[in-house]
Amino acid sequence: RIFIWDITRSMVGVSCLTPPHYCVTEGGNIDAKVRLGLKGEIDKIKNDGGSFRIVTFRQNVLDNVEFSNSEQGIKDAKEFIERVKITKEMAGGTNICGAWEEAMKFVKPNRKNVIYLYTDGHQSASLGGPNCLKETLDKYCRLTAGSETFAFYCTLNLKDNKFSEYLNKACDNLKLVNIEI
Protein backbone atom coordinates (compact mmCIF):
# COMPACT_ATOMS: atom_id res chain seq x y z
CA ARG A 1 0.00 0.00 0.00
CA ILE A 2 1.13 3.48 -0.84
CA PHE A 3 -0.65 6.50 0.61
CA ILE A 4 -0.03 9.77 -1.25
CA TRP A 5 -1.14 12.66 0.93
CA ASP A 6 -1.58 16.28 -0.16
CA ILE A 7 -0.55 18.50 2.76
CA THR A 8 -0.98 21.88 1.08
CA ARG A 9 -2.77 24.73 2.81
CA SER A 10 -5.82 24.25 0.59
CA MET A 11 -6.42 21.05 2.58
CA VAL A 12 -7.22 23.28 5.58
CA GLY A 13 -9.49 25.47 3.44
CA VAL A 14 -7.12 28.25 2.34
CA SER A 15 -8.10 29.56 -1.08
CA CYS A 16 -5.99 32.74 -1.33
CA LEU A 17 -2.84 34.24 0.12
CA THR A 18 -4.13 37.33 1.89
CA PRO A 19 -2.82 37.40 5.48
CA PRO A 20 -4.01 37.28 8.15
CA HIS A 21 -7.24 35.56 7.06
CA TYR A 22 -5.97 33.71 3.95
CA CYS A 23 -9.51 33.46 2.51
CA VAL A 24 -10.43 30.32 4.39
CA THR A 25 -13.32 28.63 2.57
CA GLU A 26 -16.09 27.45 4.84
CA GLY A 27 -16.35 23.67 4.56
CA GLY A 28 -13.03 23.53 2.67
CA ASN A 29 -11.04 22.31 5.66
CA ILE A 30 -10.88 18.57 4.99
CA ASP A 31 -7.71 17.93 6.98
CA ALA A 32 -9.33 16.11 9.92
CA LYS A 33 -11.45 13.95 7.60
CA VAL A 34 -8.44 13.02 5.47
CA ARG A 35 -6.40 12.08 8.54
CA LEU A 36 -9.29 9.97 9.80
CA GLY A 37 -9.56 8.27 6.40
CA LEU A 38 -5.81 7.58 6.30
CA LYS A 39 -5.82 6.08 9.78
CA GLY A 40 -8.92 4.02 8.96
CA GLU A 41 -7.26 2.48 5.90
CA ILE A 42 -4.06 1.86 7.86
CA ASP A 43 -6.09 0.08 10.57
CA LYS A 44 -7.23 -2.40 7.90
CA ILE A 45 -3.66 -3.46 7.09
CA LYS A 46 -2.94 -7.05 8.05
CA ASN A 47 0.12 -7.96 10.06
CA ASP A 48 1.75 -10.01 7.29
CA GLY A 49 5.42 -9.05 7.48
CA GLY A 50 5.13 -6.62 4.58
CA SER A 51 5.26 -2.85 4.59
CA PHE A 52 3.40 0.25 3.48
CA ARG A 53 4.46 3.76 2.62
CA ILE A 54 3.20 7.31 3.23
CA VAL A 55 4.26 10.01 0.75
CA THR A 56 3.44 13.60 1.73
CA PHE A 57 3.71 16.45 -0.72
CA ARG A 58 3.16 20.08 -1.57
CA GLN A 59 5.19 21.48 -4.51
CA ASN A 60 7.71 18.68 -3.78
CA VAL A 61 7.60 15.35 -2.03
CA LEU A 62 8.28 16.14 1.62
CA ASP A 63 8.18 12.71 3.25
CA ASN A 64 8.47 9.22 1.87
CA VAL A 65 8.30 6.95 4.89
CA GLU A 66 8.01 3.17 4.97
CA PHE A 67 6.28 1.41 7.87
CA SER A 68 6.06 -2.30 8.65
CA ASN A 69 2.75 -4.16 8.51
CA SER A 70 2.96 -4.82 12.23
CA GLU A 71 1.25 -3.54 15.33
CA GLN A 72 4.22 -1.22 15.99
CA GLY A 73 4.41 -0.08 12.35
CA ILE A 74 0.72 0.82 12.30
CA LYS A 75 1.10 2.68 15.61
CA ASP A 76 4.14 4.55 14.24
CA ALA A 77 2.27 5.49 11.05
CA LYS A 78 -0.69 6.87 12.97
CA GLU A 79 1.66 8.90 15.18
CA PHE A 80 3.39 10.19 12.02
CA ILE A 81 0.01 11.28 10.62
CA GLU A 82 -0.74 13.19 13.83
CA ARG A 83 2.66 14.96 13.74
CA VAL A 84 2.26 16.31 10.20
CA LYS A 85 1.42 20.00 10.36
CA ILE A 86 -0.65 21.89 7.81
CA THR A 87 -0.97 25.62 8.46
CA LYS A 88 -2.49 28.55 6.60
CA GLU A 89 0.92 30.16 6.27
CA MET A 90 2.64 27.27 4.45
CA ALA A 91 3.93 28.33 1.04
CA GLY A 92 4.02 26.28 -2.13
CA GLY A 93 1.77 24.81 -4.76
CA THR A 94 0.28 21.37 -5.28
CA ASN A 95 2.29 18.92 -7.38
CA ILE A 96 0.13 15.80 -7.62
CA CYS A 97 2.16 14.69 -10.67
CA GLY A 98 5.47 14.74 -8.79
CA ALA A 99 4.05 12.82 -5.84
CA TRP A 100 2.40 10.22 -8.11
CA GLU A 101 5.70 9.78 -9.99
CA GLU A 102 7.49 9.23 -6.66
CA ALA A 103 4.93 6.63 -5.60
CA MET A 104 5.25 4.75 -8.89
CA LYS A 105 8.90 4.03 -8.05
CA PHE A 106 7.62 1.65 -5.38
CA VAL A 107 4.97 -0.19 -7.40
CA LYS A 108 5.92 -3.82 -7.85
CA PRO A 109 3.93 -4.99 -10.92
CA ASN A 110 4.42 -8.67 -9.97
CA ARG A 111 2.72 -8.09 -6.58
CA LYS A 112 -0.58 -6.70 -5.33
CA ASN A 113 -0.35 -2.93 -4.89
CA VAL A 114 -2.95 -0.48 -3.65
CA ILE A 115 -2.35 3.25 -3.99
CA TYR A 116 -4.46 5.93 -2.34
CA LEU A 117 -4.10 9.57 -3.33
CA TYR A 118 -5.76 11.99 -0.91
CA THR A 119 -6.07 15.51 -2.32
CA ASP A 120 -8.47 18.39 -2.75
CA GLY A 121 -8.01 17.78 -6.46
CA HIS A 122 -6.11 20.81 -7.69
CA GLN A 123 -2.78 20.48 -9.53
CA SER A 124 -0.93 23.81 -9.62
CA ALA A 125 -0.69 24.96 -13.23
CA SER A 126 2.87 26.19 -12.68
CA LEU A 127 4.09 22.73 -11.63
CA GLY A 128 4.53 19.89 -14.10
CA GLY A 129 2.99 21.54 -17.15
CA PRO A 130 -0.59 21.73 -18.42
CA ASN A 131 -0.95 18.03 -19.23
CA CYS A 132 1.06 16.51 -16.39
CA LEU A 133 -1.90 14.80 -14.68
CA LYS A 134 -3.02 13.10 -17.87
CA GLU A 135 0.56 12.14 -18.77
CA THR A 136 1.26 10.82 -15.27
CA LEU A 137 -1.92 8.75 -15.20
CA ASP A 138 -1.20 7.39 -18.70
CA LYS A 139 2.22 6.29 -17.42
CA TYR A 140 0.58 4.70 -14.37
CA CYS A 141 -1.91 2.83 -16.60
CA ARG A 142 0.93 1.49 -18.78
CA LEU A 143 2.97 0.46 -15.73
CA THR A 144 0.08 -1.39 -14.07
CA ALA A 145 -1.59 -2.94 -17.15
CA GLY A 146 -2.35 -6.59 -16.44
CA SER A 147 -1.20 -6.35 -12.82
CA GLU A 148 -2.96 -6.46 -9.49
CA THR A 149 -2.31 -2.78 -8.82
CA PHE A 150 -5.19 -0.50 -8.03
CA ALA A 151 -5.24 3.21 -7.27
CA PHE A 152 -7.95 5.28 -5.65
CA TYR A 153 -7.84 9.00 -6.47
CA CYS A 154 -9.72 10.38 -3.46
CA THR A 155 -10.58 14.03 -4.00
CA LEU A 156 -12.93 16.68 -2.72
CA ASN A 157 -15.31 18.21 -5.24
CA LEU A 158 -13.11 17.90 -8.34
CA LYS A 159 -14.15 20.90 -10.42
CA ASP A 160 -12.32 20.01 -13.62
CA ASN A 161 -15.03 17.96 -15.36
CA LYS A 162 -12.76 17.20 -18.31
CA PHE A 163 -10.10 15.74 -16.03
CA SER A 164 -12.61 13.83 -13.88
CA GLU A 165 -14.08 12.38 -17.08
CA TYR A 166 -10.58 11.30 -18.12
CA LEU A 167 -9.96 9.78 -14.66
CA ASN A 168 -13.12 7.70 -14.94
CA LYS A 169 -11.97 6.29 -18.31
CA ALA A 170 -8.16 6.15 -17.87
CA CYS A 171 -7.80 2.43 -17.07
CA ASP A 172 -9.35 -0.35 -15.03
CA ASN A 173 -6.63 0.00 -12.38
CA LEU A 174 -7.73 3.51 -11.38
CA LYS A 175 -10.86 4.64 -9.54
CA LEU A 176 -11.94 8.21 -8.88
CA VAL A 177 -13.51 8.66 -5.46
CA ASN A 178 -15.13 12.11 -5.43
CA ILE A 179 -15.88 13.14 -1.87
CA GLU A 180 -18.68 15.66 -1.51
CA ILE A 181 -18.86 17.71 1.69
Side-chain angles (χ1 to χ4, degrees), residues 107-113 138-150 170-174:
V107 169
K108 297 177 176 102
N110 59 336
R111 298 189 61 201
K112 240 182 217 185
N113 300 273
D138 286 346
K139 181 177 178 181
Y140 163 79
C141 289
R142 286 190 306 274
L143 174 70
T144 62
S147 75
E148 289 190 72
T149 299
F150 298 94
C171 61
D172 292 337
N173 300 44
L174 179 63

Side-chain angles (χ1 to χ4, degrees), residues 117-136:
L117 169 63
Y118 291 91
T119 182
D120 61 353
H122 304 285
Q123 168 74 29
S124 293
S126 62
L127 299 170
N131 295 317
C132 78
L133 280 173
K134 184 180 179 314
E135 292 165 0
T136 300

